[in-house]
Amino acid sequence: MADKNGFFELSKTNLTRRTALKGLAAGAGLAVAPGFVRYSQAQSSAPIKIGFQSHRTGIGAAYGRWYEKTTAAAIKAINDAGGINGRPVEVIIEDDGTDPGRGAEVVGKFATQHKTDIVFGTLFSHVVIGSAPAAGEAKMPYFVVSEGHHVASTKLNRYVFQPGITDVKSQIQSMAPWIAANAGKKVTQIFPDFAFGYDHRDYLPPALKAQGAEVIAQIAIPPTESSFTKYFPQIPAETEVIYHVMVGPAVLTFVKELGEFYGSNRPQLFGFIDSLEATDINSPGLEFLDGSHFWEGSPRYAQPDDSAAQKAYRAAVGIDDNGAAVGDPKDVSTAAHMFGCWETLYVVKKAMEDAGYKGPEDRAKLVEATEALTEFAEGPEHPQGPKTFNGKIHQCFGIQNISKVEGGRLNVVHKTKIEDGLYEPEGDYTTQAL
C-alpha cells in the first residue's frame, strides 16, 4: 500500500516472493485472489529482482512518487501475464535522495546486499552520472529513465541504458524547427544549473542556428533556488522567445514570478513541461501561461486522438483525463516522463526473454540482447509511440509533442517524427569489454 507520502511499498529488505506480490497488488489498489498469477514452468521459480533507485526525497520527490506508481502498474501487468521467462518480478526500492553520492551507494547496495538482477528507474541526470560508475564496477545492468544526453554521449559505460525515453539532444533537435518558425528567432534560455540543464545550454543554440534563429542569452539557475525574480532582469529586451526548463519543488514559484515580472506584455514562452510537472496548470497566478507552448513527452491531458494503448496505460497507472490521480484532482502526475518507466520495463522483459536470462550470471547476455534491439512498435508495451533504438549508444529515439495552453489545459498542436531527432552517434559502447 502507499505510505503517508504516497509512495508505494513494493518491497522491503528480506521480502519473500509471496509478500512482494501481495504488496504490489495492494499498491495498485487490487486484492490478491487465488490464482493471482499463473507462472509457466521455468528452471527457477525464484523472482527476478529489480532494484528501483527512487527519488523518494530531495528535489526529485514528485517524480519519484509517480515513477513508483507507474512501475507498480507495469509490474502488475507483467506479472499478470506470467512474469518474465515464467518467473514473477519483484521490485526492491531504495531512496537515493536525488543525490549522486547516495545514488552510487544505492547501486552498490543493490549489487551486494539485495543482489538484484538489474537496477532501474533513475531520473535526475546528476544522479545517473554519479551512479553509473558503481553500476559499471559491479557489472550491473543499469536502466535509467532520465532524458539527459549523458547515456547517448557514450561517456558512461556499457552497463548503462536509456531505452524507454528520448534524450534532450534529440528532443531539442526535433522541436527547434517549430520554435523558429512559430515562436520567434531571438531566444533567451533559462535552465537549471546542473547536467540536465547543461544539455539544454549546449544543444539548443546549434539546433536553432540551423533554423535561422539564435540564442541571445543563457541564464543558469541553481535547481534548489526558491525565488527567481532576481534573475529576470538578465533577460535582454529584444528577446522574442523565453525558452524555460526548470525542475524541483519551486517550479510553481518560478512560473508565477515570471508572470508577475512581465504582466500581460511578455515575449513568447516555450517551456519544457519540467517547469510544470506535478503542478496544476490552473493554479492561481498561472493565467499568463495561456497561449504559451510546452514540450511534453507523453501528454498530460487526454487527447481526442489517443490510441487504445494510451487509454489503457492511463487507466492502469491511475490518471484521469486531466492527468491527475483518479479521485484526487490535486495530485497532478509527471505524465511527460513517467511513461518511460512502463516502457523501459517492457524493454527489460523483451531483452531478458531474448537472452534466455536465468540470473546474474547472464548479465552480460542481457547487455548484448538489449544492444541487439532495434525498434519498439507503438502499442500496449509502448503507449507513448513508436521508437527506434541504437544499440551502439544505448539510446532510443521517438516522437515529441508540442502542446499549447488553451482554456486551462494542454492541447497537442504538433507531433514530431522519429527521424526529426536522429543524430550521428558520438561513440560505440559495444566496443567496450563486458
Side-chain angles (χ1 to χ4, degrees):
M1 64 176 59
D3 65 14
K4 64 181 181 179
N5 296 313
F7 288 97
F8 283 80
E9 300 183 75
L10 298 185
S11 59
K12 296 180 180 178
T13 306
N14 300 323
L15 217 87
T16 66
R17 170 188 169 188
R18 182 177 179 183
T19 54
L21 292 174
K22 283 184 176 179
L24 204 73
L30 299 172
V32 177
F36 172 61
V37 179
R38 292 194 179 99
Y39 296 101
S40 62
Q41 291 298 314
Q43 286 190 333
S44 171
S45 60
I48 287 173
K49 295 193 291 184
I50 293 178
F52 186 179
Q53 185 181 5
S54 178
H55 303 331
R56 282 196 156 183
T57 55
I59 61 173
Y63 290 92
R65 185 164 54 85
W66 277 97
Y67 269 36
E68 288 191 25
K69 288 186 178 184
T70 306
T71 296
I75 294 298
K76 181 187 182 303
I78 289 170
N79 279 337
D80 279 355
I84 298 176
N85 287 333
R87 296 163 59 188
V89 181
E90 172 186 322
V91 175
I92 301 170
I93 298 173
E94 290 283 353
D95 177 20
D96 64 17
T98 326
D99 176 81
R102 191 165 164 187
E105 293 174 1
V106 164
V107 171
K109 190 173 182 180
F110 282 134
T112 61
Q113 179 176 324
H114 297 301
K115 300 186 185 302
T116 61
D117 293 276
I118 66 167
V119 177
F120 156 83
T122 327
L123 168 64
F124 273 61
S125 56
H126 63 310
V127 181
V128 174
I129 292 169
S131 303
E137 290 168 8
K139 297 186 181 300
M140 171 68 75
Y142 185 39
F143 292 84
V144 304
V145 189
S146 184
E147 264 190 311
H149 186 59
H150 34 273
V151 177
S153 71
T154 64
K155 293 178 181 178
L156 300 182
N157 63 72
R158 195 172 177 181
Y159 283 85
V160 187
F161 291 87
Q162 189 161 256
I165 192 169
T166 54
D167 72 312
V168 170
K169 183 176 180 178
S170 178
Q171 293 165 358
I172 289 173
Q173 184 175 302
S174 295
M175 294 180 295
W178 189 95
I179 296 172
N182 297 277
K185 303 290 189 184
K186 295 182 179 181
V187 181
T188 291
Q189 281 184 266
I190 302 177
F191 58 91
D193 191 11
F194 74 109
F196 170 67
Y198 302 155
D199 281 348
H200 288 267
R201 175 198 67 190
D202 295 343
Y203 296 117
L204 183 65
L208 285 177
K209 184 177 181 180
Q211 304 300 322
E214 63 176 327
V215 173
I216 61 173
Q218 295 181 316
I219 303 170
I221 299 179
T224 54
E225 186 64 87
S226 59
S227 182
F228 306 88
T229 304
K230 64 184 177 182
Y231 296 96
F232 299 145
Q234 300 176 37
I235 301 172
E238 65 269 31
T239 297
E240 297 173 354
V241 185
I242 295 175
Y243 174 105
H244 61 96
V245 49
M246 292 304 297
V247 296
V251 291
L252 179 57
T253 302
F254 169 77
V255 288
K256 278 186 173 181
E257 290 183 354
L258 186 63
E260 291 167 357
F261 180 80
Y262 277 106
S264 59
N265 186 23
R266 60 163 173 78
Q268 291 294 313
L269 298 176
F270 186 94
F272 264 54
I273 199 63
D274 307 60
S275 296
L276 275 181
E277 280 283 57
T279 300
D280 186 353
I281 204 167
N282 290 299
S283 299
L286 298 190
E287 296 83 3
F288 81 102
L289 288 175
D290 194 64
S292 67
H293 294 84
F294 284 89
W295 163 88
E296 294 189 279
S298 188
R300 175 187 298 184
Y301 289 81
Q303 301 296 313
D305 61 348
D306 277 348
S307 66
Q310 176 67 209
K311 293 175 182 177
Y313 157 77
R314 294 175 71 94
V317 300
I319 58 174
D320 63 19
D321 286 352
N322 294 323
V326 172
D328 186 358
K330 294 182 179 180
D331 187 5
V332 180
S333 71
T334 58
H337 297 81
M338 68 194 202
F339 73 90
C341 293
W342 180 284
E343 297 205 12
T344 300
L345 286 167
Y346 275 102
V347 172
V348 170
K349 178 178 184 292
K350 169 66 173 169
M352 283 187 169
E353 290 169 351
D354 288 352
Y357 184 86
K358 298 181 179 65
E361 69 277 7
D362 289 334
R363 285 174 180 156
K365 290 182 181 179
L366 175 59
V367 167
E368 292 176 324
T370 307
E371 290 171 341
L373 298 172
T374 58
E375 60 183 1
F376 312 127
E378 182 176 7
E381 298 179 356
H382 299 279
Q384 188 267 351
K387 294 174 181 66
T388 62
F389 182 73
N390 188 323
K392 291 183 177 181
I393 60 175
H394 293 187
Q395 178 64 54
C396 76
F397 296 85
I399 64 169
Q400 313 301 331
N401 297 281
I402 295 176
S403 299
K404 184 177 182 179
V405 181
E406 298 176 302
R409 56 172 283 134
L410 287 156
N411 297 317
V412 175
V413 296
H414 179 70
K415 286 182 179 288
T416 69
K417 299 177 182 178
I418 292 176
E419 52 266 32
D420 295 339
L422 297 178
Y423 52 77
E424 288 298 316
E426 298 167 33
D428 186 353
Y429 282 122
T430 67
T431 63
Q432 298 180 8
L434 285 166

